[in-house]
Amino acid sequence: MTFESHSDPITPDNINSGHETLGELTAEIQVHSAPFRRLVDEVGKTIVGQEGLIGRMVIALLTGGHLLIEGVPGLAKTTAVACLSKAISTGFQRLQFTPDLLPADLIGTQVYRPQTQEFVVQKGPIFSNLILADEINRAPAKVQSALLEAMQERQVTIGGETFFLDEPFMVMATQNPVEQEGTYPLPEAQMDRFLMKVVVDYPNRDEELQILRRYSKTNSAVEVQPVTTPAEVMMARALVDRIHVSQAVEEYIVDLVMATRNPVAYGLDLSELIQYGASPRATINLTLAAKANAFVQGRAYATPEDVKAVAMDVLRHRVIITYEAEAEEKTAEDIVSTILQTIPVP
C-alpha cells in the first residue's frame, strides 16, 4: 500500500473539527475507510509492482478527480482500472483514442428512427463510471475537449439536450511521450483539469519475477472480488470533505503553490526555469488529495506529510518550464522537488 502514515501532534487548533470532536470523526472515518484499504489489497492481488498507481487511483476516486498517466505500453494500466471497477462493482469502459475519432464516438449522437420518424439519443461510451482514455494524445483537439468537458462539468450535451453522468465518475487517461510522432499533446489548460499526473515506471527485478511466475500461463486470470460499492464511495467522499486541515497545513499548501509562481519570494533561484506556475486549481487539488490520503490512513486530520506524499503528482503537470530549463536538462519534477525540499514544513 502506498499511502504514507505519519503521526502528528494534536494541537488546540486541530482538536475540534466543526461541531464534532476529532475523536468522533476519527471513529467514523476508521470504519468507512476500511473498505478502501481492502480495495488497494484486492487490486494488488492482480497488479504487481504498481502500488503507486493503485494508491493514486483510490485517491482520485475519493476526491472525484481524474488521473493522467504517462508510461510505456504493457505496464498494466488498463488492467488496473478494470480491476478497480470490479472491486467497486461498477461500470468500466476502455476508449482507444485514434486520430480519426470523432466527439460523437465518445459522447454519443442523435439517430433517426424511420419507424417513428423522430430522432433519438444514442448515448456513447462516456456514460459509465470508470473510463480509461487510452492514448488520449493520439486524438485531435475536438475529441480531447469533448472528454475534458465531461470531466469538468459531469455532463454532456447531445442535440441540445443535457445528460448528467453517473457518479462516481473517474477518467484515467494514458499519454504517450510527446516526442513520439502522430500525437496531439494536451494543452496546459486541459492538463490542469487532471487531479494528478502519475508517471508509471517498470517494475523492479523482484516484481518482474512475481509477474513471470503468476502470469506465464495460458490461463492466468485472477478473479477480483467486490469489496465496496458506488454508494460507499459517495459516502466516503462526504467524509473526506469533513477531514480537518489546520491553518498551518493550509498555509504550507499555499506556500508550495505560490513558490511555483514567485520562487524569489521564497529564496529560490528558479525564476529563469519556470514559465508558468501552478494555478489555484492546484491549491484545491493538493488539499483534496492530502485529505484523501489521511482518510485512507483512518485519520480525521491532514498532516504536512500527507501534503508532501501527493504534492509531486499534483504539481508536476502544472509547472511549465522554460527553454532555459530544457537547455539545462531540468524537468518540472526537479523544480517541484527543490520546492518541497526548501519550503519549511510546519
Side-chain angles (χ1 to χ4, degrees):
M1 203 153 58
T2 62
F3 303 95
E4 298 187 14
S5 178
H6 299 273
S7 61
D8 186 47
I10 304 302
T11 57
D13 66 351
N14 65 13
I15 288 176
N16 195 291
S17 178
H19 298 290
E20 60 190 343
T21 67
L22 195 65
E24 292 171 343
L25 183 57
T26 297
E28 190 173 356
I29 285 175
Q30 286 177 347
V31 171
H32 291 285
S33 63
F36 295 92
R37 289 189 288 273
R38 293 198 300 270
L39 179 63
V40 173
D41 295 336
E42 189 66 27
V43 177
K45 292 178 182 178
T46 300
I47 308 300
V48 178
Q50 298 297 352
E51 289 83 1
L53 173 60
I54 298 170
R56 296 304 184 249
M57 287 165 55
V58 172
I59 286 179
L61 191 67
L62 289 168
T63 59
H66 310 284
L67 292 183
L68 179 61
I69 314 296
E70 188 171 282
V72 298
L75 295 181
K77 299 184 291 292
T78 303
T79 307
V81 185
C83 290
L84 184 70
S85 67
K86 291 178 182 177
I88 303 172
S89 188
T90 191
F92 166 65
Q93 284 284 353
R94 176 184 180 274
L95 309 175
Q96 181 63 54
F97 279 43
T98 57
D100 61 346
L101 200 68
L102 298 173
D105 299 326
L106 181 68
I107 65 173
T109 188
Q110 287 186 314
V111 178
Y112 181 71
R113 294 280 174 84
Q115 299 89 341
T116 59
Q117 296 185 352
E118 62 181 6
F119 286 93
V120 296
V121 172
Q122 184 72 41
K123 293 183 177 179
I126 195 70
F127 288 89
S128 190
N129 298 105
L130 301 185
I131 307 293
L132 176 65
D134 214 0
E135 298 184 297
I136 187 174
N137 59 339
R138 290 205 177 276
K142 284 186 177 181
V143 178
Q144 293 178 4
S145 297
L147 174 66
L148 292 162
E149 179 185 4
M151 290 165 51
Q152 184 70 17
E153 307 298 333
R154 297 296 202 278
Q155 66 183 37
V156 296
T157 302
I158 305 173
E161 189 175 356
T162 299
F163 298 88
F164 293 95
L165 299 171
D166 292 335
E167 291 285 1
F169 177 72
M170 184 179 85
V171 173
M172 176 175 160
T174 67
Q175 177 174 274
N176 284 334
V178 295
E179 64 267 21
Q180 291 190 8
E181 294 184 6
T183 62
Y184 303 82
L186 287 174
E188 288 78 6
Q190 293 184 349
M191 290 181 67
D192 195 36
R193 302 289 180 91
F194 288 93
L195 173 78
M196 292 184 285
K197 177 183 177 182
V198 182
V199 176
V200 181
D201 203 355
Y202 291 110
N204 61 34
R205 189 178 187 278
D206 291 338
E207 292 164 345
E208 195 82 22
L209 215 62
Q210 290 183 51
I211 293 171
L212 182 153
R213 290 168 179 167
R214 185 180 299 182
Y215 294 108
S216 58
K217 305 171 186 176
T218 55
N219 183 12
S220 56
V222 178
E223 192 63 32
V224 177
Q225 300 299 323
V227 295
T228 187
T229 64
E232 287 183 326
V233 171
M234 301 309 295
M235 185 182 299
R237 287 185 182 178
L239 283 171
V240 168
D241 287 340
R242 290 159 58 191
I243 285 180
H244 182 62
V245 183
S246 68
Q247 182 176 339
V249 174
E250 288 177 340
E251 291 179 356
Y252 179 56
I253 291 171
V254 171
D255 284 339
L256 289 176
V257 175
M258 293 295 292
T260 68
R261 305 176 197 166
N262 186 14
V264 174
Y266 294 88
L268 291 162
D269 187 21
L270 298 173
S271 296
E272 294 184 355
L273 305 180
I274 301 174
Q275 184 175 6
Y276 297 108
S279 72
R281 191 178 278 123
T283 306
I284 297 168
N285 289 346
L286 187 51
T287 307
L288 284 172
K291 289 165 71 173
N293 196 70
F295 173 86
V296 178
Q297 292 298 326
R299 280 187 280 105
Y301 57 93
T303 68
E305 285 75 18
D306 288 316
V307 177
K308 292 186 75 172
V310 298
M312 179 62 75
D313 292 328
V314 172
L315 295 176
R316 62 156 48 102
H317 59 298
R318 294 183 162 96
V319 175
I320 312 303
I321 61 175
T322 62
Y323 290 116
E324 288 84 349
E326 294 179 3
E328 294 181 22
E329 298 184 346
K330 298 288 186 181
T331 64
E333 286 88 349
D334 295 330
I335 292 170
V336 174
S337 180
T338 300
I339 291 172
L340 289 170
Q341 292 171 13
T342 304
I343 302 298
V345 178

